[in-house]
Amino acid sequence: MVPHEYTWIFALGIVTAICDAYGIGANDVANSFASSVSSGSLTLLQACVVATFTEFLGAFLLGSSTSETIKGGILSVDRFVDQPELLMLGMLCALVGSASWVIFASKKGYPVSTTHSIVGAIIGVGIAAFGGRAIKWGYSGVAKIITSWFVSPVVAGVVTAIIYLPTRYFVLESPNSLKRGIRAIPIYFFCTALIGSFYIIYKAVPKDKSGGLSTGAVVGISFGVAAGVTAFAWFFFVPWLKRRVIGKENIRWYHLPVIHFVRYTPMPAPPPPPPVEAESPRDLEGGSSDAEKAGMHAKSGDGSTTADSDDQQVDGDGAPKGPWYTAAARQAKHLVLRGVMKDVRNLDNERLADVHGAAKKFDDDTEYLFSFLQIITACLASFAHGSNDVANAAGPVSAIYDIWKTGRVDVGGKSPVPEWVLAMAGGAIVLGLVTLGYHVMRRLGNGVTYLSPSRGFSAELGTSLTVLTASQIGLPVSTTHCITGAIAAIGLCNGNLRATNWKTLGWCFVSWIVTLPVAGLIAGLLFAFASNAPNKLI
């Protein structure tokens, strides 16, 4: 194969990689923010805005090492040395199989694993091409990834329980929970900042003999960052909380850095209730009702009728009058914001009333303290997701690009992932969350157990720690597994099995099992069809 041959495969690979990344955002990113939105710490719109930055930066800055693992750690690419174009075709079919299943599952609200999907698709391609011998089944390949599927939810659940149980017994259940929570907030800020800064710096900064940072230097910088964040929390955030929560003052978030200079500002008085109009004598005598009045149109002298709406008028022939751009603007707004204006909290769901009722509730003001921490952990979890799961789309398309550019197969599977691939995949991930992520987010979160800010904070911090650790060592764990295991652990920490929706967890488990063969079957059949098609002789 000569370089820059089979450009059509490269072009289709870019399109399908974007579709796969779109599905990742619609499915897995919803997992990162499901607990924050379900607990009320963030609205769905706010979560999408935050994810726009954290997901993209995580994918762009830290997504390269896991991309290499996906690209070269599953399929024995040395079998394609004599026909590099077949590996290009195989990665294209893998992206089609993965994207098809993930987007379908996201539309239906199934929280599947996008890592499962791309791994199953690549396995299907390998079996269709050379049989089972082409797949690295040992611990250096598939076995290592499968092990992470079982280990990651358990580890995330254990870490989450370790974080949440001390919080529950020493803070939330204390008679003076609010005061104790305010005292403990700087400690939580220290732990969160230490974990986040350590893993971000350790992975983002080069570590080599020519001038990279040593592990000791990374630890020292991380402690310095955590100490600075803790000092800010102690001198500014804690006084802000005392005035906001205990003093019930009307202070805003932008008062935080100048809280010591803000005068006392009491909460405004609630508005008076609207006056109740007395019924007119005609109403009492059986005249036109309010509904009838609302449905009637006033008729003008020229025979035209006008509707009640100020921006939509109708003439005598029924044709709309008024500015045409008003309806167009409303339609455009509906299309753009449709995915972020949904109610995904499930608080009024009658089927979940027993599950939510079995969970113990704590003081609202104390729970409010953890809302700010949960926003930080949500950003950290999203950043971790972007760094880890971008590999599912970036790895295969990077292999296609490398072969198209060089005309040969990189047997080691360690060629660098281009930055434009990471940027493209990061942007598509964000778009998937904004337009389709609400389906999965509605099923998780409060759909598994009742989540409050303290519970969500613990689940997200446990998930972040698990995913970032896996991302650093190049192990592509599933964010879906981690956050599901963390949320399930929160439900079990209630001490009541009825506080966990086992039916939803069962469906999650079934979707994990089904994902691997379905994606593999789609990709394998497509590759078998394309690679064995008749070829026109020139």
Side-chain angles (χ1 to χ4, degrees):
M1 175 183 171
V2 298
H4 302 122
E5 194 176 5
Y6 296 100
T7 304
W8 67 271
I9 297 181
F10 173 48
L12 287 180
I14 294 176
V15 174
T16 52
I18 292 175
C19 293
D20 196 35
Y22 178 87
I24 293 171
N27 206 291
D28 270 8
V29 181
N31 305 329
S32 300
F33 286 94
S35 55
S36 295
V37 176
S38 297
S39 66
S41 296
L42 287 172
T43 65
L44 182 56
L45 178 60
Q46 290 171 339
C48 292
V49 172
V50 171
T52 300
F53 298 95
T54 54
E55 287 286 334
F56 181 84
L57 291 176
F60 184 72
L61 297 177
L62 306 185
S64 59
S65 94
T66 49
S67 296
E68 293 170 354
T69 302
I70 285 286
K71 185 171 60 177
I74 300 169
L75 184 63
S76 297
V77 296
D78 55 336
R79 294 178 176 269
F80 295 92
V81 171
D82 296 332
Q83 290 182 290
E85 63 273 15
L86 278 185
L87 182 57
M88 292 179 65
L89 179 64
M91 293 297 100
L92 172 62
C93 295
L95 286 171
V96 172
S98 176
S100 300
W101 169 246
V102 171
I103 293 178
F104 171 79
S106 301
K107 182 66 176 178
K108 296 296 183 180
Y110 303 147
V112 301
S113 168
T114 56
T115 305
H116 270 189
S117 185
I118 192 62
V119 168
I122 293 177
I123 290 175
V125 167
I127 294 176
F130 301 105
R133 296 172 299 174
I135 305 300
K136 295 182 179 179
W137 298 104
Y139 193 76
S140 61
V142 176
K144 182 179 181 181
I145 296 173
I146 292 178
T147 301
S148 73
W149 297 342
F150 293 96
V151 173
S152 56
V154 175
V155 173
V158 171
V159 173
T160 299
I162 292 174
I163 296 171
Y164 175 68
L165 288 177
T167 303
R168 173 181 174 178
Y169 291 118
F170 293 107
V171 177
L172 298 173
E173 293 187 350
S174 172
N176 298 320
S177 61
L178 181 58
K179 293 183 178 180
R180 184 168 291 187
I182 290 178
R183 294 194 193 102
I185 282 296
I187 299 176
Y188 286 106
F189 268 97
F190 177 83
C191 296
T192 303
L194 178 63
I195 294 172
S197 59
F198 175 80
Y199 282 98
I200 291 174
I201 296 173
Y202 188 78
K203 187 171 184 186
V205 179
K207 295 169 286 299
D208 52 31
K209 298 179 181 180
S210 60
L213 292 177
S214 64
T215 303
V218 175
V219 172
I221 294 174
S222 301
F223 270 95
V225 172
V229 171
T230 305
F232 180 84
W234 180 267
F235 290 107
F236 295 96
F237 188 65
V238 169
W240 187 92
L241 280 177
K242 289 180 178 179
R243 295 180 60 175
R244 174 76 178 181
V245 181
I246 299 178
K248 305 296 181 182
E249 293 188 46
N250 185 28
I251 54 176
R252 307 289 180 164
W253 62 269
Y254 48 79
H255 292 144
L256 190 59
V258 292
I259 187 62
H260 297 289
F261 304 98
V262 178
R263 296 181 179 180
Y264 174 76
T265 53
M267 286 287 184
V276 178
E277 297 182 0
E279 295 180 335
S280 64
R282 188 166 181 267
D283 291 333
L284 297 175
E285 293 173 2
S288 300
S289 64
D290 291 338
E292 293 171 339
K293 294 175 181 178
M296 291 191 301
H297 298 278
K299 194 163 186 177
S300 63
D302 59 357
S304 64
T305 56
T306 57
D308 292 334
S309 175
D310 293 335
D311 57 2
Q312 182 68 26
Q313 296 181 340
V314 180
D315 60 17
D317 297 328
K321 296 172 60 178
W324 61 269
Y325 53 80
T326 302
R330 288 181 175 178
Q331 185 67 18
K333 179 180 178 181
H334 173 73
L335 292 175
V336 173
L337 299 179
R338 179 177 179 271
V340 298
M341 302 303 292
K342 303 290 184 178
D343 180 18
V344 298
R345 297 191 64 189
N346 283 328
L347 294 179
D348 298 327
N349 193 327
E350 296 181 357
R351 293 178 297 177
L352 298 173
D354 293 338
V355 174
H356 294 171
K360 188 173 182 180
K361 312 299 189 298
F362 303 104
D363 180 66
D364 290 339
D365 288 339
T366 307
E367 289 282 6
Y368 178 77
L369 303 179
F370 291 89
S371 297
F372 303 92
L373 283 167
Q374 191 178 12
I375 294 173
I376 296 176
T377 53
C379 295
L380 183 60
S382 177
F383 193 90
H385 172 268
S387 68
N388 193 74
D389 281 21
V390 71
N392 301 333
V397 75
S398 296
I400 294 174
Y401 172 70
D402 186 61
I403 296 172
W404 176 81
K405 184 176 66 173
T406 63
R408 59 182 178 83
V409 174
D410 180 17
V411 178
K414 291 294 181 180
S415 57
V417 179
E419 292 182 351
W420 66 266
V421 172
L422 296 175
M424 175 190 68
I429 286 174
V430 172
L431 183 62
L433 170 67
V434 172
T435 58
L436 206 63
Y438 65 92
H439 290 289
V440 175
M441 198 176 295
R442 182 180 290 157
R443 186 176 293 269
L444 288 178
N446 286 327
V448 175
T449 188
Y450 173 78
L451 288 179
S452 60
S454 62
R455 293 175 168 95
F457 158 74
S458 302
E460 288 174 355
L461 188 59
T463 299
S464 301
L465 185 57
T466 304
V467 173
L468 280 171
T469 301
S471 180
Q472 171 56 36
I473 63 178
L475 182 63
V477 301
S478 170
T479 308
T480 303
H481 292 181
C482 291
I483 192 62
T484 304
I487 293 176
I490 289 295
L492 293 175
C493 287
N494 287 293
N496 188 344
L497 293 178
R498 294 188 297 110
T500 304
N501 188 349
W502 298 104
K503 182 178 180 180
T504 297
L505 287 178
W507 277 111
C508 290
F509 184 73
V510 170
S511 68
W512 298 349
I513 297 176
V514 170
T515 295
L516 194 71
V518 170
L521 189 63
I522 296 174
L525 290 177
L526 184 61
F527 179 83
F529 172 79
S531 61
N532 293 289
N535 186 23
K536 180 181 178 181
L537 298 177
I538 301 177

